[in-house]
Structure formats: structure tokens, C-alpha cells
Amino acid sequence: MRPEPVFEAPWHAQLFALTVHLNEAGHFAWPDWAERFGATLKRHGLGRELNGGDDYFMAWLDTLETLLTETGAAEAEALKDMRAAWEAAYLRTPHGAPVTLD
């Protein structure tokens, strides 16, 4: 019997791993991250309950992007461009195939 996956989607695991890596590399302190993420979850969940899937990790991504831009670790325009590139790649990738940037 195979164990249930810890993450619902591969991008959830990748986002989690990236966040842990950035923390371990000293880009932010975990208590600051936790406080910000809690505030984002509260803001995203006001009208509905978050289910721990895509909506939860979209809140996670929102928190990470905001934290990186506020600390100067990333530029908002660069994040916007990268998000658009990934969305375009996702939309042109056949179902079941890995999404890659050209």
C-alpha cells in the first residue's frame, strides 16, 4: 500500500521547499514568516474556509511574494513577469506533462 502524498500537488511541495530554503539561507526569520502567513490566511479565509489545497498554497505564495518584495529580496515586476511566464507555460502544456519554462 502506497502512502498518501503529503502535498496535493507537486507545486505545493516545491513552494514549501523553496520557502524553507530561503529561510535557511537567511532571507527571513521563521517567526516573521509565520506571523505574515497567519495574517494572509486570515485575510484569504474571511469569506470561506481554506481547504489546505490550492487555496492554502495560493495564500502561501502571496505571503512569500509579499515578504520577498518588502525585504528587497525580489522585485515586484520580476515576480509578476515570472508568474505570467509560468501561467503561459502551464496553459500550453498538455495535460499530464511536466510544465517547463522555455
Side-chain angles (χ1 to χ4, degrees):
M1 180 179 207
R2 293 179 60 184
E4 289 289 319
V6 175
F7 296 95
E8 217 175 74
W11 76 269
H12 299 170
Q14 293 164 343
L15 181 58
F16 178 84
L18 175 62
T19 305
V20 170
H21 172 75
L22 291 170
N23 166 256
E24 290 175 347
H27 291 282
F28 56 85
W30 201 258
D32 185 32
W33 162 261
E35 182 179 327
R36 288 169 177 264
F37 185 50
T40 303
L41 286 174
K42 184 175 181 181
R43 191 171 64 253
H44 279 232
L46 285 178
R48 60 190 166 78
E49 187 173 321
L50 298 176
N51 73 4
D54 282 348
D55 56 353
Y56 179 84
F57 281 96
M58 288 305 294
W60 187 291
L61 180 60
D62 180 30
T63 303
L64 184 59
E65 288 180 340
T66 300
L67 177 61
L68 293 176
T69 57
E70 287 179 359
T71 61
E75 296 177 6
E77 194 64 29
L79 290 175
K80 181 181 169 189
D81 292 346
M82 184 60 67
R83 187 185 282 242
W86 276 108
E87 182 178 352
Y90 170 79
L91 292 173
R92 72 173 171 268
T93 301
H95 179 72
V99 178
T100 58
L101 290 176
D102 292 333

